[in-house]
Amino acid sequence: MSSLAQRLTHGPYQGYLYAYPHKTAYGPLGGLPLEQVWGEEDRRALFLYLHVPFCGYRCGFCNLFTTTGGADRVQAYLGTLERQARIARAALGPAGFARLAIGGGTPTALEAPELARLLDLAAEVVGGPLAPLAPGVETSPDTATPERLALLRERGVWRISMGVQSFVEGEARAAGRPLRTAQVEQALQALRAAAFPVVNLDLIYGLPGQTPDSWLESLERALAWEPEELFLYPLYVRPLTGLERRGLPQAQDLRLALYRLGRERLLAAGYAQRSMRLFVHPRAPQLALPPYRCQADGMLGLGCGARSYTRRVHYASDYAVGARGVREVLEAWIAQADDALGRAHHGYVLDLEEQRRRWAIQSLLCWEGLDARTYRARFGSDPLDDLPQLRELAPLGLATEERGVLRLAPAGLEQSDAIGPWLISPAVEARMHACVLE
């Protein structure tokens, strides 16, 4: 394993480690019964995630599990999703839910009656109204209609997230996103009219043709809507995406310069940085929600493309990125019998070392940092003993340690996409490299 200093010579944009292990490390699980997977877990505070793998079009940068829909396919998908949800809920037994999110894809690509059906299913799984869980739902400018948004708000949706990516039409087109700025502005007006307590906007830096001036223009136009949250994503040209097929090169130095410009502007506007990507304004309202920590508590993911995880077992449907691969996985998932839906077929079983590593990574890459006391309470050991490489962070000016909490400094936050991959275990890295995507 290389030192961190050596790793950083390859640039700051080496991979977005939003979950550990990544799905490309998953493999066959042999059909573990869900009762066995969840049987010894603490199920008092789970995250429920529902995945809608449909969009009206596929953006050039997108490598998510998504495809275009069609009325028949959507109806068939919802039917299997309902069967899966009821089977999984029965397998869980007594359980409580602390959070709810519906993502994709684009959940609001569903027609209003289909969206209502999805929300009814979510309420059935959690066993009551959705509002106490502060649900979050993803939308897009072309599907954020007043009818759909009113339905979401009536059902208690608290946070709405929309991918804008760029307010500059030429940049959006170059990224394979066929939206006009006027359509984006109209959607934003509809979001505010629907009175969601938290509106999040996603922007991307490093887009084809983007300059510091055009990046700041997008930021200013986003800030004019006073979003409670902003995610700033660096552009990655990933395999099997439209941009990769076009042979688009990466510009490492430009992305870092744009990140720093964006961070400086948002901090000046009063936003607090919660991770490399997430910025939250203090005016964002807070709810008294049940405690939930992604490092400690499980997730029940429902739908093709959704990830579920317990302490030991992470599982999901097969992973694909290319259009044909996604369609094949989706059709096979829709056709599953009930017995297959009640088992975990594809995933990763984490030994104790991987559980410790996951906890450290998930903690370190967000604002709260890695707290040695909570780590010791969980594992009975010290994180710096279990992962000695963490000791390299502070001497490089990338982290500080105060009262037992190792927290990334600003210089470390901007290197998150190098630090995260550096912390991947050799076993997980080998499986990721061996993965052949379709």
Side-chain angles (χ1 to χ4, degrees):
M1 181 179 295
S2 63
S3 70
L4 179 55
Q6 292 172 320
R7 186 89 190 204
L8 295 179
T9 63
H10 298 291
Y13 299 106
Q14 299 179 29
Y16 179 19
L17 202 63
Y18 59 88
Y20 184 82
H22 191 268
K23 285 183 181 179
T24 51
Y26 286 11
L29 292 178
L32 297 175
L34 295 186
E35 292 87 351
Q36 176 183 332
V37 172
W38 288 98
E40 297 182 2
E41 293 298 309
D42 184 345
R43 302 182 298 277
R44 292 174 295 177
L46 301 178
F47 197 125
L48 175 63
Y49 173 73
L50 280 74
H51 189 75
V52 178
F54 301 114
C55 286
Y57 52 87
R58 181 122 186 206
C59 298
F61 51 82
C62 179
N63 74 331
L64 301 177
F65 189 88
T66 182
T67 185
T68 53
D72 291 344
R73 181 183 287 179
V74 170
Q75 292 301 319
Y77 180 82
L78 291 176
T80 301
L81 179 61
E82 288 169 340
R83 289 193 293 123
Q84 183 201 29
R86 288 160 187 158
I87 291 166
R89 188 64 186 86
L92 280 181
F97 292 88
R99 300 290 187 279
L100 167 63
I102 303 175
T106 308
T108 50
L110 301 181
E111 298 295 336
E114 298 164 344
L115 193 54
R117 182 178 172 186
L118 185 67
L119 295 168
D120 288 342
L121 180 62
E124 180 182 333
V125 173
V126 304
L130 304 180
L133 304 183
V137 175
E138 296 175 6
T139 189
S140 63
D142 57 315
T143 63
T145 64
E147 181 185 16
R148 293 184 178 104
L149 298 180
L151 172 64
L152 293 176
R153 192 67 193 104
E154 288 166 6
R155 297 295 188 92
V157 171
W158 177 261
R159 178 183 184 272
I160 193 81
S161 178
M162 187 168 75
V164 174
Q165 319 315 351
S166 176
F167 282 86
V168 180
E169 286 184 12
E171 293 175 0
R173 283 196 304 273
R177 188 171 175 82
L179 289 172
R180 301 189 68 83
T181 302
Q183 189 177 24
V184 174
E185 299 276 358
Q186 184 178 13
L188 283 164
Q189 187 174 9
L191 294 186
R192 282 309 189 194
F196 291 97
V198 174
V199 170
N200 171 75
L201 302 181
D202 295 343
L203 298 175
I204 293 180
Y205 55 93
L207 291 169
Q210 194 172 55
T211 67
D213 286 343
S214 68
W215 170 233
L216 288 175
E217 178 186 344
S218 276
L219 281 172
E220 295 300 339
R221 294 184 74 165
L223 289 172
W225 291 96
E226 299 185 336
E228 285 72 27
E229 296 178 4
L230 276 162
F231 270 85
L232 307 186
Y233 288 97
L235 177 69
Y236 278 97
V237 179
R238 296 182 171 95
L240 302 180
T241 62
L243 294 184
E244 193 262 351
R245 289 194 299 270
R246 286 165 44 191
L248 184 76
Q250 298 279 22
Q252 295 277 5
D253 292 343
L254 179 60
R255 283 184 292 173
L256 182 57
L258 296 179
Y259 163 83
R260 289 172 174 170
L261 275 176
R263 178 180 183 274
E264 180 181 357
R265 179 65 187 94
L266 294 188
L267 293 181
Y271 286 79
Q273 187 169 16
R274 298 295 180 85
S275 71
M276 174 184 166
R277 289 162 170 79
L278 174 59
F279 295 80
V280 179
H281 200 278
R283 68 168 166 271
Q286 302 295 319
L287 283 180
L289 295 170
Y292 178 85
R293 300 184 71 201
C294 65
Q295 302 95 320
D297 300 306
M299 171 179 282
L300 177 64
L302 299 174
C304 190
R307 177 202 312 266
S308 298
Y309 54 79
T310 70
R311 285 174 300 172
R312 290 189 65 247
V313 182
H314 292 202
Y315 64 95
S317 57
D318 288 346
Y319 184 56
V321 174
R324 184 177 66 180
V326 170
R327 284 196 302 269
E328 291 176 351
V329 170
L330 180 59
E331 295 302 329
W333 185 87
I334 289 173
Q336 285 184 101
D338 286 359
D339 179 68
L341 289 170
R343 296 175 180 271
H345 302 276
H346 183 72
Y348 198 103
V349 178
L350 284 72
D351 60 19
L352 185 57
E353 179 186 347
E354 294 291 11
Q355 292 175 41
R356 291 168 172 161
R357 188 177 295 271
R358 175 179 180 268
W359 183 290
I361 291 171
Q362 299 285 92
S363 302
L364 185 64
L365 295 183
C366 69
W367 65 277
E368 65 180 8
L370 176 56
D371 189 325
R373 289 165 295 186
T374 57
Y375 183 95
R376 281 194 295 269
R378 178 79 170 204
F379 298 109
S381 54
D382 189 276
L384 296 182
D385 292 334
D386 292 341
L387 280 87
Q389 66 196 105
L390 294 174
R391 301 180 190 276
E392 298 180 41
L393 289 163
L396 293 173
L398 302 178
T400 60
E401 186 174 4
E402 184 177 354
R403 297 180 181 179
V405 179
L406 183 67
R407 186 174 286 114
L408 291 182
L413 282 173
E414 72 177 29
Q415 298 287 340
S416 292
D417 283 9
I419 294 171
W422 170 67
L423 291 171
I424 294 174
S425 73
V428 168
E429 190 167 30
R431 288 180 64 163
M432 290 173 66
H433 286 163
C435 177
V436 177
L437 292 176
E438 295 185 1

